[in-house]
Amino acid sequence: MDGDLLKARVLGMLQPEDLEILLNMNFRRAVERGEVVVAAGEKVDRFYLVEEGALRVEGGPDREPRYLRPGQVFGSTSVFQDRPCPANVVAQEDVILLTATPKELDWLIEAEPTVAARLLRSLMAAVAARNVDAPVGAGALPQPAEPSAEPSGLTRLAEACREARKTLLKMGAPPEESQAYWARERIPAVATAYRPVLRALAALLEGVPGTDRESLVEMARRELMGVAGTSRLVERMHTRPAGLPAGYRGFNHIYRNLPEGDDVLGLLTDVWLLTRPFAEAIRERRTLANERVNREILDRARPDRIVRILSLGCGPARSLGDLLEEPGMAEKISVTCVDDDQEALVHANNLLKGRAPRGDITFRQGSPTDLTPDAEGFGGYDIIASLYTADNADAPALGRTLFTAHRWLHAYGALELVVFGDAVPDWLLLEVLLDWKPRRHSQRELQDIVARSPFKQTNAEVAPSPSGLNLFLRATK
């Protein structure tokens, strides 16, 4: 059917006031050129009727793309059944769509019955136009076939990973120069490609008991590594022994925020991972913790006394680099840093000793969570700070850390801790792809731990960070 005639017959059933009402009710949506409307593998739960512009339905490697123009529809079967989209549907140019889910249609029928009736007539006309050349009875159902087995969750994840890989490879090769800029321009498309993967991963592991979960996580990790394994962040997170906390290499890559990969799949995955909430939370806690620790030092610094600092992990110690460059500051502070990550200790040593060669700076290798109140050589601190120790501690272990810190602090000394809050949505991604299971604590849980510690709640503050992704704890003795 001619395009102009199709548009007139399908969309001509709607009155101008209908379009205004549909716009105000969010049933008319504008989509910019190049935007992915529905990704391959994503469930289609609404119909899309093209009012203006054109959509491109991408074919496979050996198939030409198809185009949907005004008066044409896709997703019409969603009125009675959700099913996955077989291909990416992308805006070929700026597009206006009429779209609704079955529940939204029910609501429209009650709220604006005449508008709903004309919209449904347009939808019926668009569906009928697709079949105008088919013989009568072409849609008759054959003898029902034997029901096929529902694909397993692992099969759906494997398919989602294959489709994501294909989509990323279609983005082409990056230029020799400005690869990071090239990759950052494609973040929305990469996120769209990974969306079905995250959904399949959640469906696979939801409600699985611990006895079965480990083997499923390992199988899911193998599938994800096929598309994401050449990301530099993934590679660096997997250089540490399995099950140990994340270390210097992974954190430093997140701090640098410069995407890298061994190939285009790795580069595009890396740039996407560096924008995820967990990476934003890590960068935020470093920035805010630097400010808080430096403020504690400046508030306590006096010409006649030295401020003694214990850094549990190297994060807080590294934050002192800029402060040590101020004239005379190296003579005013004494720093002890404890970490079980040898690389982190070497980096912090190079940084701080480079800024203050004669400063009183001591590095000790060991796990901060294993320290006990009677450990030799510890005590008399004005400030104890940690960026990541609490990520590796459950509630009892965190309580023991607070007890130890209280024993080691001077009167009016301060403890500064930061933990992941409940708002970070990336736990499955961290567990499966990065092999990292940091603890998360609610604000109430952290307050209860403080209340049971020697600090007591009256001498402590637990507050979310500006993003809500982290929780900061400051307690004074």
Side-chain angles (χ1 to χ4, degrees):
M1 185 182 293
D2 176 77
D4 292 336
L5 179 60
L6 175 64
K7 179 179 179 180
R9 289 193 174 179
V10 172
L11 300 173
M13 298 181 183
L14 295 169
Q15 303 298 319
E17 56 269 24
D18 297 340
L19 296 176
E20 184 175 336
I21 290 171
L22 292 171
L23 176 63
N24 290 327
M25 291 183 170
N26 203 30
F27 292 146
R28 286 178 83 203
R29 298 185 187 175
V31 181
E32 294 184 356
R33 178 180 179 179
E35 185 175 341
V36 177
V37 179
V38 181
E42 186 176 351
K43 278 193 176 181
V44 183
D45 61 352
R46 59 175 61 241
F47 71 83
Y48 298 85
L49 178 58
V50 182
E51 181 185 338
E52 296 290 345
L55 297 175
R56 182 177 74 253
V57 182
E58 296 179 345
D62 302 322
R63 296 177 59 188
E64 293 294 323
R66 296 181 295 113
Y67 297 91
L68 299 174
R69 303 192 183 278
Q72 293 184 297
V73 65
F74 80 93
S76 55
T77 57
S78 67
V79 173
F80 64 91
Q81 180 186 11
D82 292 352
R83 60 180 183 177
C85 188
N88 289 332
V89 181
V90 183
Q92 178 70 11
E93 53 195 65
D94 291 347
V95 176
I96 297 177
L97 299 171
L98 300 174
T99 179
T101 65
K103 287 186 178 180
E104 289 170 345
L105 273 178
D106 291 341
W107 180 85
L108 183 64
I109 289 169
E110 292 186 10
E112 295 286 348
T114 55
V115 177
R118 284 193 283 265
L119 178 61
L120 286 172
R121 287 182 63 195
S122 294
L123 179 60
M124 291 170 60
V127 173
R130 290 192 308 211
N131 303 318
V132 70
D133 296 324
V136 175
L141 294 176
Q143 181 70 21
E146 290 295 323
S148 58
E150 181 75 14
S152 69
L154 194 61
T155 300
R156 285 192 289 267
L157 176 62
E159 180 60 28
C161 289
R162 283 194 295 270
E163 290 301 320
R165 181 185 176 90
K166 291 178 187 176
T167 301
L168 297 183
L169 290 174
K170 285 181 182 178
M171 296 182 191
E176 289 295 325
E177 298 181 357
S178 304
Q179 291 193 359
Y181 178 80
W182 177 88
R184 288 188 178 113
E185 282 190 320
R186 286 153 179 79
I187 289 173
V190 178
T192 299
Y194 268 108
R195 195 178 302 142
V197 175
L198 295 181
R199 289 176 179 171
L201 185 62
L204 173 66
L205 296 175
E206 183 178 7
V208 178
T211 52
D212 301 325
R213 187 183 181 87
E214 287 187 15
S215 60
L216 265 183
V217 164
E218 188 58 40
M219 288 186 284
R221 184 176 295 135
R222 284 198 293 270
E223 296 295 342
L224 283 171
M225 291 296 282
V227 62
T230 53
S231 152
R232 190 70 73 239
L233 178 59
V234 174
E235 173 191 307
R236 289 178 176 175
M237 292 294 280
H238 283 268
T239 56
R240 72 195 197 288
L244 290 185
Y248 165 74
R249 290 189 181 186
F251 287 138
N252 194 55
H253 186 70
I254 293 171
Y255 291 152
R256 289 174 60 236
N257 199 19
L258 184 65
E260 298 175 5
D262 293 339
D263 53 26
V264 66
L265 291 173
L267 178 64
L268 292 171
T269 299
D270 211 59
V271 75
W272 171 67
L273 288 173
L274 290 174
T275 64
R276 296 294 302 176
F278 79 87
E280 293 178 12
I282 288 171
R283 287 191 292 269
E284 179 193 53
R285 67 167 61 178
R286 184 190 193 189
T287 300
L288 295 180
N290 288 359
E291 296 172 359
R292 294 167 74 105
V293 171
N294 287 351
R295 186 165 59 244
E296 293 277 5
I297 294 171
L298 294 174
D299 287 347
R300 298 165 189 274
R302 300 288 185 275
D304 58 341
R305 68 185 298 270
I306 292 175
V307 180
R308 300 192 70 228
I309 305 155
L310 173 62
S311 175
L312 298 176
C314 288
R318 288 199 301 266
S319 73
L320 303 176
D322 293 337
L323 194 63
L324 284 171
E325 289 193 321
E326 295 187 14
M329 185 56 69
E331 289 75 36
K332 296 179 182 179
I333 63 175
S334 170
V335 183
T336 300
C337 179
V338 182
D339 203 319
D340 54 3
D341 187 333
Q342 184 64 36
E343 271 191 291
L345 288 170
V346 170
H347 176 78
N349 177 73
N350 293 343
L351 174 67
L352 299 186
K353 293 293 180 67
R355 304 282 175 91
R358 289 186 292 277
D360 183 10
I361 304 171
T362 304
F363 294 92
R364 302 178 67 166
Q365 187 166 6
S367 172
T369 54
D370 292 340
L371 294 173
T372 58
D374 56 355
E376 186 177 351
F378 292 92
Y381 298 109
D382 298 288
I383 301 165
I384 298 177
S386 177
L387 290 185
Y388 300 108
T389 300
D391 290 338
N392 312 318
D394 57 14
L398 191 53
R400 291 192 294 273
T401 299
L402 265 63
F403 182 86
T404 301
H406 188 272
R407 175 76 66 87
W408 288 348
L409 283 169
H410 273 314
Y412 305 107
L415 169 67
E416 293 271 4
L417 282 179
V418 59
V419 300
F420 281 126
D422 282 337
V424 180
D426 292 323
W427 304 111
L428 282 178
L429 192 64
L430 294 176
E431 178 185 4
V432 178
L433 182 57
L434 301 184
D435 191 21
W436 181 34
K437 295 175 65 176
R439 298 280 181 175
R440 47 181 167 170
H441 302 273
S442 68
Q443 188 169 353
R444 178 61 181 273
E445 179 187 13
L446 209 51
Q447 289 169 338
D448 290 343
I449 293 172
V450 173
R452 294 192 296 269
S453 77
F455 288 103
K456 306 302 182 187
Q457 257 182 314
T458 54
N459 297 321
E461 175 192 10
V462 178
S465 65
S467 71
L469 298 172
N470 292 300
L471 289 173
F472 278 90
L473 162 64
R474 182 183 186 274
T476 55
K477 181 172 178 178

